[in-house]
Amino acid sequence: MELAIRTAMLKLGGRLLEDLLGLDGGHRGPRTGCPNGHDAEFISYRAKTIDTVVGPVRLRRAWYHCAACGHGLAPRDAELGTERSSLSPGLRKMIARAAATVPFARAAGLLAELAGIELTVKRTERSAEADGAAAARAISAEADAIRSRRVVPLPPAEPRPDKLYLAVDGTGIPVVAREAEGRRGKADDGKARTREIKLACLFTQTSLDDDGKPARDPSSTTCLATFEPAGQFGVLLDAEARRRGIEHIRQPVILGDGAAWIWNLADKHFPAATQIVDLYHAREHLHDLANLAARLLAGHRDDWLATRLAELDAGDVDAVLAAGRDLNFTGSLAGERDKALAYFEHNAHRMRYQHFKSLGMFVGSGVVEAGCKSIGQRLKLSGMRWALAGATGIATLRCLDAGHRWDEIWQRPRSQTAPADLVSLAS
Ligand SMILES: [Zn+2]
């Protein structure tokens, strides 16, 4: 019964939309300008079916041909935002939101179940990846505009946040063979199967909670994701930090896992920021060291680890190093111990956890990093091997979702074509 009503409603909506769209056949005189500035001549009216959130809609619109370019065009398609797609902008946004969250097959299933829209998995994937790629280009263009000061972001709203955190991480995403060609990897044959996606979560913190722990400002998280090398990632992150008002915030903080590229980038773009090795990552390294020493420590392993973790939490890296050097390894294990300890040596000044805590700072990104991780997980858990373009598109959609930036970004890639009626009628 319910299904019957819904189907009838959708049909009615579709017919209504068809009628409304039919009021303007898109005839713009005998000639109209082509995108390259030539004169395109009117040929005839042609039909096109567009899938919308109320189902398929048949559209008759004027068709022009540009002799110079050898291309046809319909001005109406550009106005409606459907010139490169047979899906309405409203439906594409729905697809993008679903595909940002779950694998493509499930996204297509959800749209069928919740909205009664039947799309193939391939079409769902293509649409979401293309719109995600367009959003990534818009973000990149925005970054250029901010860095060249063509766009000056507004300062954050009053009361100004006190601290801006930039939690930075990198993780391997499984890619198709051609995307990893010629790269060295960890697999037995030495070939790479993954490419690193670099992620950043930015959030602000102003106050402490009732227990005296730092509290993240609500809805203050935005994310960034790219497969670009560290240099370009730094440029994008710099722009995002400026967009978030870093120039107006007293204390910037970089949280990272200890990877050298993160600190190089921090030194270059954010020299005033406090650098902190994420406590959870530092703890993982202690667990690794304890495992390495498991045989040597025998029954004392757990006690040894608990004491080292307490020293680390207190920011006493000297004590951790002294205990580590006391581990009486021989041969290759001694080398591994030294390598493990080098991590603490090099990063000691980024592990003054007691000091950072006394300043009311987060020392582990915790929840936020989980948000950051969820971007990587969407790409890792689907069992897919990705092409970089598609993975970039989906990661970007995931970032829009995490940062509640859908509407802000969504309109921009095709803002010049102003798909007003389809968006308002069908979104
Ligand atoms: Zn032309």
Side-chain angles (χ1 to χ4, degrees):
M1 185 59 191
E2 249 178 68
L3 188 69
I5 292 172
R6 192 174 65 185
T7 309
M9 292 286 290
L10 284 176
K11 246 188 196 157
L12 187 66
R15 218 172 300 146
L16 204 65
L17 186 59
E18 213 165 71
D19 288 349
L20 279 167
L21 290 174
L23 293 177
D24 180 357
H27 191 261
R28 302 291 177 260
R31 266 172 288 281
T32 190
C34 97
N36 296 324
H38 313 123
D39 270 348
E41 264 185 72
F42 174 72
I43 304 294
S44 64
Y45 285 91
R46 288 192 186 175
K48 175 176 178 171
T49 301
I50 303 167
D51 283 298
T52 77
V53 296
V54 290
V57 165
R58 206 167 158 74
L59 182 69
R60 267 184 88 251
R61 77 277 193 253
W63 186 257
Y64 291 76
H65 188 264
C66 172
C69 296
H71 278 299
L73 64 131
R76 193 81 174 114
D77 290 356
E79 291 160 15
L80 295 172
T82 55
E83 73 266 60
R84 277 180 300 272
S85 174
S86 56
L87 302 165
S88 76
L91 178 54
R92 287 210 304 272
K93 185 172 174 183
M94 229 189 224
I95 293 169
R97 294 200 68 161
T101 314
V102 292
F104 300 117
R106 272 197 66 202
L110 277 175
L111 289 170
E113 191 182 329
L114 301 176
I117 297 159
E118 300 282 348
L119 295 170
T120 63
V121 176
K122 198 72 213 163
R123 218 168 155 213
T124 305
E125 175 180 346
R126 257 192 226 127
S127 173
E129 289 184 353
D131 281 325
R137 284 195 297 275
I139 288 168
S140 183
E142 179 188 55
D144 287 345
I146 289 173
R147 283 176 52 90
S148 63
R149 308 236 168 224
R150 274 177 287 128
V151 166
V152 180
L154 292 172
E158 299 284 350
R160 299 260 162 96
D162 186 56
K163 302 181 188 73
L164 175 68
Y165 293 84
L166 291 80
V168 180
D169 206 356
T171 186
I173 302 299
V175 292
V176 294
R178 74 182 145 81
E179 300 284 21
E181 223 172 76
R183 289 172 177 263
R184 296 196 50 77
K186 291 174 197 156
D188 291 340
D189 59 4
K191 285 183 186 163
R193 300 279 189 277
T194 62
R195 289 284 297 270
E196 184 181 57
I197 191 167
K198 296 183 171 64
L199 302 162
C201 279
L202 294 83
F203 64 101
T204 62
Q205 177 233 330
T206 306
S207 53
L208 304 176
D209 66 14
D210 294 343
D211 299 328
K213 291 188 174 153
R216 188 164 54 102
D217 294 334
S219 309
S220 72
T221 303
T222 56
C223 297
L224 186 69
T226 183
F227 287 93
E228 297 280 350
Q232 177 59 15
F233 174 76
V235 165
L236 291 172
L237 183 57
D238 178 44
E240 177 61 6
R242 290 194 208 189
R243 195 185 69 79
R244 296 296 308 272
I246 192 168
E247 284 150 329
H248 305 276
I249 293 176
R250 187 185 63 82
Q251 179 66 70
V253 179
I254 316 273
L255 282 162
D257 64 0
W261 66 267
I262 295 177
W263 309 121
N264 291 340
L265 177 161
D267 287 338
K268 181 173 178 193
H269 293 287
F270 312 102
T274 298
Q275 301 183 359
I276 303 179
V277 166
D278 194 305
L279 178 59
Y280 299 96
H281 286 288
R283 281 184 184 157
E284 273 174 14
H285 281 256
L286 271 186
H287 279 268
D288 292 345
L289 186 59
N291 290 340
L292 191 72
R295 197 175 281 178
L296 199 69
L297 294 167
H300 306 294
R301 180 200 170 275
D302 291 354
D303 287 344
W304 186 92
L305 177 59
T307 311
R308 301 294 87 76
L309 288 171
E311 288 165 354
L312 181 68
D313 283 7
D316 192 352
V317 177
D318 285 341
V320 171
L321 287 171
R325 290 191 190 107
D326 278 347
L327 292 171
N328 210 358
F329 286 121
T330 50
S332 67
L333 281 179
E336 286 194 49
R337 173 201 59 201
D338 293 346
K339 222 169 106 189
L341 292 179
Y343 171 80
F344 291 95
E345 270 163 359
H346 290 151
N347 289 302
H349 60 294
R350 304 184 179 110
M351 296 180 175
R352 291 174 291 153
Y353 296 121
Q354 203 53 51
H355 172 65
F356 298 140
K357 279 183 214 162
S358 74
L359 296 174
M361 289 178 179
F362 277 104
V363 295
S365 45
V367 176
V368 177
E369 219 221 358
C372 212
K373 279 213 169 86
S374 82
I375 295 167
Q377 273 165 0
R378 164 67 187 86
L379 299 175
K380 280 185 194 183
L381 296 181
S382 59
M384 259 184 83
R385 297 207 155 271
W386 295 84
L388 288 196
T392 299
I394 297 306
T396 303
L397 296 179
R398 197 84 191 78
C399 288
L400 295 187
D401 200 46
H404 307 285
R405 294 193 73 200
W406 282 107
D407 293 322
E408 208 181 312
I409 295 284
W410 192 257
Q411 301 299 340
R412 239 175 268 169
R414 43 192 94 69
S415 57
Q416 284 163 325
T417 55
D421 48 358
L422 262 190
V423 166
S424 59
L425 278 168
S427 66

